Amino acid sequence: MPKATSEKLFRAHKPAAKKQEASGPTNTNPLFNTARFGQHILKNAQTAQKIVDAANLKPTDKVLEVGPGTGNLTVKILEKAKHVTAVEMDPRMAAEVLKRVQGTPEQRKLEVVIGDFVKVDIPYFEVCISNTPYQISSPLVFRLLSHRPLFRVAILMFQREFALRLTARPGTALWSRLSANVQLYAKVDNIINVNRNDFRPPPQVESSVVRLVPIDPPPPVKFEEFDGMNRIIFSRPNKTIRGNFQAKGVMKMLEQNRRTWLAMQEMPVDHENESIQEVLDKILEAGDWMESRASKMDIDDLLKMLSAFHEQGIHFAS
């Protein structure tokens, strides 16, 4: 699976643009520059407890928390878990979390790592809990799914639109490349809706908590291949599969990849008189996919089509 990166943001999950007018005290955090890291501090104790309870923590669990903020979730996790590693970008927030457990039995159970989650080393953990900073929503999900050994469960809070895309099902408006890529590796459910007023400062959108359970063992599919195909067919998900393959540069890329694959297999390039378009059409016709649309295809459909492409030497990762 690809390395997670925080450089590419989903437009809908960037921190909301600041208003030109002076904002009231409810729109800023008086202690910490939360906007810099796209964070909103969860202040509702009941919501925090629901999130921790959803993880079904065991006394032996080692927990990874991403974006602890000032520790409102952290202290509740420490009550149930054996150990917590909290990854926090803001050194001042990290200091606040440590301060909250100083001189208590929980102090020995907490380790705070200051840094960017997509770059720091991740220790062994069974459970992940996160009030996720906006700009690392997608990188966080894919870094968790690529982590080994597999964790048991992740309870993750995102902006609601992103959460709905994660949990979308085939045939619905939000079924997308993101949905398919995540659901190839995990079962994802929306478990809690969180009101914007549960945060300080309140974001401009509502939030949702999802439960992500990795599929164990993971499917023996190279992520770069699955994602490469999905990148093409989900570019316009309601267009036919064949139509999406006509996009500029796609055929040239597939031809180059096929020649490379044949060379690696020490096989002759035996399609001198048959274009890559003709090879593609034969595959789509044989699988009855000529009129299929990505928006209606489930994971099994996508895997069958990828396998058919591979059988004919068509690959999507360069």
Side-chain angles (χ1 to χ4, degrees):
M1 294 183 70
K3 293 182 179 179
T5 173
S6 61
E7 294 176 358
K8 295 181 180 179
L9 311 184
F10 280 86
R11 182 177 61 183
H13 308 104
K14 293 181 182 179
K18 295 181 179 179
K19 294 182 179 180
Q20 295 298 320
E21 302 90 351
S23 299
T26 58
N27 291 330
T28 59
N29 188 312
L31 298 177
F32 306 106
N33 181 17
T34 54
R36 178 184 173 192
F37 301 114
Q39 288 177 289
H40 296 269
I41 306 301
L42 180 65
K43 66 178 183 178
N44 188 310
Q46 289 183 332
T47 300
Q49 191 62 57
K50 287 181 182 179
I51 292 171
V52 175
D53 290 345
N56 293 318
L57 293 174
K58 303 174 183 179
T60 56
D61 277 339
K62 294 183 178 180
V63 178
L64 173 69
E65 185 186 11
V66 183
T70 55
N72 293 339
L73 273 172
T74 314
V75 293
K76 294 183 180 298
I77 299 170
L78 287 167
E79 292 174 358
K80 296 190 174 185
K82 179 179 181 179
H83 186 269
V84 176
T85 299
V87 181
E88 173 57 57
M89 275 283 288
D90 190 332
R92 295 167 299 174
M93 287 194 185
E96 181 69 14
V97 176
L98 290 169
K99 182 180 177 181
R100 291 187 67 166
V101 299
Q102 190 173 9
T104 70
E106 282 72 28
Q107 183 174 355
R108 293 184 177 182
K109 298 164 62 176
L110 175 65
E111 176 188 4
V112 176
V113 177
I114 301 174
D116 185 344
F117 172 75
V118 301
K119 297 177 182 177
V120 300
D121 292 332
I122 303 176
Y124 172 82
F125 65 97
E126 284 109 351
V127 178
C128 178
I129 298 176
S130 173
N131 175 15
T132 311
Y134 296 153
Q135 60 264 56
I136 66 167
S137 295
S138 183
L140 178 139
V141 170
F142 286 105
R143 182 157 198 209
L144 290 177
L145 290 177
S146 64
H147 183 71
R148 298 294 181 271
L150 290 173
F151 54 94
R152 185 173 76 246
V153 64
I155 307 297
L156 311 171
M157 181 144 54
F158 299 112
Q159 289 193 16
R160 188 163 299 165
E161 183 182 344
F162 185 82
L164 290 173
R165 291 173 64 202
L166 284 180
T167 58
R169 298 297 182 246
T172 63
L174 293 177
W175 177 247
S176 64
R177 173 185 164 204
L178 173 69
S179 316
N181 285 351
V182 171
Q183 292 176 36
L184 173 66
Y185 291 100
K187 180 180 179 182
V188 195
D189 298 295
N190 188 352
I191 56 174
I192 304 171
N193 288 330
V194 183
N195 190 282
R196 62 188 298 272
N197 292 319
D198 286 354
F199 299 91
R200 184 183 73 249
Q204 294 186 355
V205 295
E206 305 297 332
S207 299
S208 292
V209 178
V210 303
R211 176 175 51 224
L212 187 148
V213 180
I215 294 172
D216 189 10
V221 179
K222 188 177 180 182
F223 176 81
E224 290 80 2
E225 285 290 323
F226 189 72
D227 179 55
M229 181 185 73
N230 286 343
R231 186 188 299 272
I232 296 170
I233 67 175
F234 277 101
S235 60
R236 296 177 67 180
N238 290 314
K239 191 173 183 178
T240 65
I241 298 296
R242 188 181 188 278
N244 277 320
F245 275 103
Q246 307 311 308
K248 183 178 180 180
V250 171
M251 288 300 169
K252 182 178 180 181
M253 179 269 291
L254 294 179
E255 177 66 33
Q256 291 174 340
N257 286 354
R258 188 170 190 278
R259 288 179 176 273
T260 300
W261 181 81
L262 289 171
M264 291 177 65
Q265 304 301 314
E266 298 184 350
M267 297 171 62
V269 180
D270 54 358
H271 286 276
E272 293 291 344
N273 298 317
E274 188 174 31
S275 69
I276 192 69
Q277 179 70 69
E278 291 172 322
V279 176
L280 179 74
D281 285 347
K282 284 184 178 180
I283 296 170
L284 295 179
E285 287 173 358
D288 197 24
W289 295 307
M290 287 292 268
E291 297 300 319
S292 295
R293 289 160 171 78
S295 61
K296 306 293 184 183
M297 299 178 74
D298 62 21
I299 298 294
D300 287 341
D301 295 330
L302 296 171
L303 288 174
K304 287 176 183 176
M305 189 165 66
L306 180 64
S307 177
F309 284 133
H310 285 174
E311 288 177 4
Q312 297 301 319
I314 293 183
H315 293 262
F316 299 90
S318 55

